[in-house]
Amino acid sequence: MSHRLETNDSALLLPRGWEWLHALALAAVTLAAYAQVRHAGFVWDDDMHLTQNPCIVGPLGLADIWTSRAARYFPLVLTTFWAEHAVWGLDPMPYHAVNVLMHAGCAVLLWRVLRSLGVPGALLGAALWALHPVQVESVAWVTELKNTQSCLFYLLCILCFVHWLRGASSGGSGARAARYAAALLFAALAMASKSSTVVLPAVLALCIWWVRGSLRLRDMACLAPVILMALGACALSLWTQHLEGANSPEWARGIPERVADAGMVFWFYLGKLAWPHPLIFIYERWDVDWTRAASYAPTAAMLALLLVLWRGRAGRLRPVFLASAYFLVALGPVLGLIDQYFWRYSLVGDHFQYLASMGPLALAAALISRALARTGGIARAVGIAACCALLAALGGLSWRQCADYVDARTLWRATIAANPGCWMAHNNLGVSYLESGRLEDAVTEFSGALGTKGGNLEAHQNLGNAFVRMGRLDEAMAHYRAALELDPGFAKAHNGLGDSLLRAGRVDEAVAQFEEALRIDPAFADAEDNCGNALFRAGRADKAIEHYRRALAIDPMDVQAHSNLGTALLGTGRVDEAVGEFQRALAIDPRFATAMVNIGNVLMRQGNTAGAAGLYTRALAIDPNLPEAHNNLGVALTGMGRLDEAVAHCRRALELNPGYREARANLGRALFKQGKVDEADAQFQEAVRPR
């Protein structure tokens, strides 16, 4: 039984030749609702997938995206990022523009898909989906190009497949075969963009059932190629999630818990479509008591609903069954039955229902459209006005929600305001403060992360990093050791503890920690670099050089390793090689102030004091909080007789690093030259005082 194609797209019907105005209007209102993302920046995960991805901005490239583990489970999206980066670099605005345009394109395609399936109110359904604020997370977050791009190909696949089913081609069997081939191509492109589209075989099976009135075994033969693609994409996704630590014992859940969670996830997403408040970037992670029978009530209710709809699938409940079955199928990968890395933060996220939300919203539009078709006069006008008001309200909510994505710090603050117990938001906000030098604020947020989740490796690690920056080495070591008590195999904590020990002058203990970190993770470039630092401090420059070279073999774009290697080479008298390493660092990052300081040090050794002072000054223009640059500039200025300036820079170096003995001694020399003998003597005494 083939179902008749309905044409009641909206209350405002246009002649067939003018239907493009519907598409234009739908795209326009979508773009307007998301216009505020032009102010948005990069947020969580954008660094891993784009701004610091070695396949995009580093030594790797397009070939590695498709041939190595760097592909992850969305190589086509990484390819898009690679192409975008080649055109406009790392300006966030064009990336957001592409994402919004993709979403608008998906809205237009959804309208065409719903029309091809004969769904009443197709235009309203597409508009509800496009403007619903639950989609903001997918559209305003650059990383979620995974959703918008995969959805574009997903809908193209469905559209071509439905046209193939209906034989809606006037070009004969050749054109019909071309539609089928196009459907297969778009399926492959969708799965290469995001693995969540592995639901396509089941979705296409629902399309067969809807269009033909039944689903027979012979009808399934046409799905065989798509099923094979889905199996391959599933295998890749599971492998990648395993590499990322999705199966970590810390977050393990038993089968009973997963079953109980599945029902809660189903109703959670349905509830957010009905009432999208509050929308939170990271929702509270619930814990299910699998020993209580009540924990399984949501899953039982979900299955009961589907059973009732299944029994009525041949009658008036047929559209409701299709929408509900589609919703469940599209949610399948994110119901919590299969491990994903994200589950350690929350079992739900708005971006996970980007595809699934099409079903319930299209059903709502169909019911509204049918109700309007039965009315006339004033009632019909009121109904149309109510629909317009609903769309305006949804668009306004999306507009407002986009403001949370202006930058990472704003997003984490908004998350904490709505979900104070979100340890990950506290932790990541702390990282942003740490990177910008707001150390006390960073400590507050990391402590907040520990308060919400005491056994938090990342928070202990980051607290250690913050205390190192503050010179509070004993406290830093305590937190690194706390992390290692939770997980002795946590390589980052071994590396951090080694760095603290090195700063405290306990070189042999530091080397032992770096070596342990490298035993756990032989590809840990930072540990190689730090081990080199410790060995160089111990006077073993040749061994240090070996470690720096190994760090650069792991990460050739590591400017700090290039700089450290240059320093070690300089210490062995290989001046030209040293300068070459400093210049390589500057070629990678022209604003790498440390390399400028190091080249200035070479000039000082060669007697070019004025040239060195110029480089130190350039370095401080880039990073005014670089203690070594202030100290060395103070030395240069002392040699040039500019004693007041020299004293000021040495004092600033000590403000930034109170334990900087060399800066204190240099301050004493400048003061002595000024004739301030007592002050100079006090500085010399402090410089040699045992600590």
Side-chain angles (χ1 to χ4, degrees):
M1 177 177 67
S2 178
H3 285 260
R4 178 175 60 86
L5 177 67
E6 302 203 19
T7 57
N8 184 23
D9 265 349
S10 69
L12 300 175
L13 291 175
L14 293 170
R16 183 169 292 275
W18 290 82
E19 287 181 343
W20 60 270
L21 286 176
H22 283 155
L24 188 63
L26 180 57
V29 296
T30 303
L31 295 176
Y34 290 95
Q36 195 163 207
V37 300
R38 69 185 184 276
H39 303 302
F42 295 119
V43 294
W44 184 50
D45 266 9
D46 289 341
D47 55 351
M48 180 171 65
H49 296 136
L50 172 60
T51 62
Q52 296 178 28
N53 187 336
C55 292
I56 311 298
V57 300
L60 305 181
L62 192 58
D64 296 278
I65 289 174
W66 289 93
T67 60
S68 72
R69 61 184 286 182
R72 306 177 69 81
Y73 48 93
F74 39 87
L76 193 58
V77 166
L78 291 181
T79 300
T80 302
F81 283 150
W82 178 88
E84 289 186 85
H85 178 261
V87 176
W88 43 67
L90 291 178
D91 179 0
M93 195 277 284
Y95 291 93
H96 284 291
V98 168
N99 225 11
V100 174
L101 288 169
M102 287 274 191
H103 182 61
C106 290
V108 173
L109 279 172
L110 177 59
W111 167 53
R112 300 307 300 174
V113 166
L114 295 176
R115 278 183 58 86
S116 71
L117 290 170
V119 176
L123 187 65
L124 176 60
L128 287 174
W129 178 82
L131 299 177
H132 200 289
V134 82
Q135 315 300 3
V136 170
E137 189 167 291
S138 294
V139 183
W141 181 10
V142 169
T143 287
E144 283 311 307
L145 179 69
K146 293 181 291 183
N147 261 352
T148 57
Q149 179 174 298
S150 65
C151 181
L152 195 76
F153 294 126
Y154 171 89
L155 291 170
L156 283 168
C157 171
I158 297 171
L159 186 62
C160 291
F161 187 80
V162 171
H163 279 292
W164 173 78
L165 280 177
R166 291 189 179 279
S169 169
S170 59
S173 60
R176 188 165 182 265
R179 290 184 182 277
Y180 178 70
L184 296 183
L185 173 62
F186 290 131
L189 294 174
M191 293 181 206
S193 297
K194 191 175 183 181
S195 59
S196 61
T197 55
V198 295
V199 300
L200 265 171
V203 172
L204 297 179
L206 286 173
C207 291
I208 295 173
W209 173 79
W210 178 257
V211 171
R212 293 184 174 171
S214 63
L215 184 61
R216 294 163 295 187
L217 187 60
R218 62 177 181 167
D219 293 324
M220 299 296 289
C222 62
L223 298 180
V226 188
I227 292 171
L228 290 174
M229 292 179 204
L231 291 173
C234 282
L236 175 62
S237 179
L238 291 172
W239 174 67
T240 305
Q241 288 289 336
H242 174 72
L243 291 177
E244 291 181 344
N247 308 106
S248 172
E250 183 184 3
W251 305 101
R253 294 175 300 137
I255 292 177
E257 291 173 272
R258 295 168 191 254
V259 171
D261 285 332
M264 295 180 67
V265 170
F266 177 89
W267 294 110
F268 175 89
Y269 285 130
L270 201 58
K272 286 299 175 185
L273 292 179
W275 187 255
H277 181 79
L279 296 178
I280 311 174
F281 189 65
I282 303 292
Y283 291 98
E284 182 179 359
R285 189 184 192 277
W286 60 69
D287 292 312
V288 170
D289 183 358
W290 62 271
T291 63
R292 295 178 61 248
S295 298
Y296 302 94
T299 302
M302 175 186 72
L303 295 176
L305 171 66
L306 292 171
L307 179 61
V308 170
L309 295 175
W310 169 257
R311 292 172 67 100
R313 70 190 182 282
R316 298 180 65 182
L317 291 178
R318 192 169 190 273
V320 183
F321 171 75
L322 176 68
S324 302
Y326 170 81
F327 186 61
L328 181 62
V329 163
L331 284 179
V334 296
L335 283 174
L337 298 171
I338 301 170
D339 286 322
Q340 291 197 37
Y341 186 86
F342 189 85
W343 298 163
R344 65 188 55 205
Y345 309 124
S346 176
L347 295 175
V348 290
D350 291 341
H351 65 287
F352 288 125
Q353 70 158 322
Y354 188 69
L355 299 180
S357 58
M358 295 174 183
L361 294 174
L363 176 64
L367 295 175
I368 292 170
S369 179
R370 285 287 177 85
L372 287 175
R374 296 191 183 99
T375 63
I378 295 177
R380 184 178 177 83
V382 170
I384 293 171
C387 288
C388 293
L390 174 61
L391 293 175
L394 292 175
L397 290 172
S398 293
W399 170 277
R400 187 179 68 180
Q401 191 74 11
C402 286
D404 288 349
Y405 293 80
V406 65
D407 56 41
R409 199 172 291 175
T410 300
L411 183 60
W412 297 131
R413 285 172 179 154
T415 301
I416 292 168
N419 180 11
C422 183
W423 65 268
M424 187 268 275
H426 282 288
N427 190 65
N428 288 1
L429 180 57
V431 169
S432 76
Y433 286 141
L434 186 62
E435 290 173 347
S436 63
R438 294 174 57 178
L439 302 182
E440 293 291 349
D441 290 332
V443 168
T444 298
E445 293 302 329
F446 295 143
S447 300
L450 280 181
T452 59
K453 180 177 177 290
N456 190 320
L457 291 173
E458 291 89 347
H460 278 299
Q461 168 73 18
N462 288 327
L463 271 168
N465 295 344
F467 285 131
V468 164
R469 292 269 298 272
M470 298 168 78
R472 294 157 62 176
L473 298 180
D474 289 340
E475 292 169 90
M477 291 182 213
H479 281 286
Y480 291 132
R481 290 194 168 105
L484 290 171
E485 286 178 11
L486 294 169
D487 181 4
F490 190 24
K492 287 183 178 179
H494 283 290
N495 184 58
L497 179 56
D499 182 45
S500 300
L501 290 166
L502 180 60
R503 290 169 185 262
R506 296 156 65 179
V507 178
D508 292 341
E509 293 175 74
V511 170
Q513 291 297 326
F514 297 138
E515 289 176 344
E516 180 62 14
L518 289 168
R519 186 192 66 78
I520 296 166
D521 182 3
F524 194 172
D526 282 349
E528 290 281 11
D529 194 23
N530 286 335
C531 194
N533 292 340
L535 291 167
F536 185 68
R537 176 86 66 87
R540 300 166 62 188
D542 290 338
K543 289 293 293 182
I545 288 169
E546 290 179 18
H547 280 279
Y548 293 140
R549 293 198 190 281
R550 282 204 287 267
L552 289 169
I554 297 167
D555 182 5
M557 305 297 285
D558 186 344
V559 292
Q560 189 62 58
H562 279 292
S563 179
N564 290 341
L565 175 56
T567 300
L569 290 167
L570 191 62
T572 59
R574 295 147 72 176
V575 177
D576 291 341
E577 291 180 69
V579 171
E581 291 299 328
F582 300 144
Q583 289 173 340
R584 287 185 188 94
L586 286 172
I588 296 168
D589 180 4
R591 294 181 58 80
F592 184 45
T594 300
M596 293 181 188
V597 171
N598 287 332
I599 295 175
N601 295 343
V602 173
L603 294 178
M604 282 289 288
R605 288 179 57 163
Q606 295 173 341
N608 186 353
T609 305
L615 281 170
Y616 298 144
T617 302
R618 281 177 56 195
L620 288 171
I622 295 168
D623 184 357
N625 297 321
L626 199 60
E628 186 181 3
H630 282 289
N631 173 67
N632 293 3
L633 180 55
V635 173
L637 292 170
T638 299
M640 298 166 68
R642 295 159 60 180
L643 299 178
D644 290 343
E645 295 171 76
V647 167
H649 280 287
C650 289
R651 290 193 190 282
R652 180 57 181 154
L654 288 168
E655 288 174 9
L656 294 167
N657 182 3
Y660 198 170
R661 292 175 182 268
E662 187 180 351
R664 198 165 293 282
N666 289 330
L667 174 59
R669 293 186 187 96
L671 290 168
F672 184 80
K673 286 197 172 188
Q674 284 184 321
K676 300 176 180 178
V677 178
D678 291 341
E679 289 183 59
D681 184 62
Q683 295 298 330
F684 291 138
Q685 293 292 334
E686 182 65 20
V688 298
R689 184 172 63 85
R691 299 184 186 279

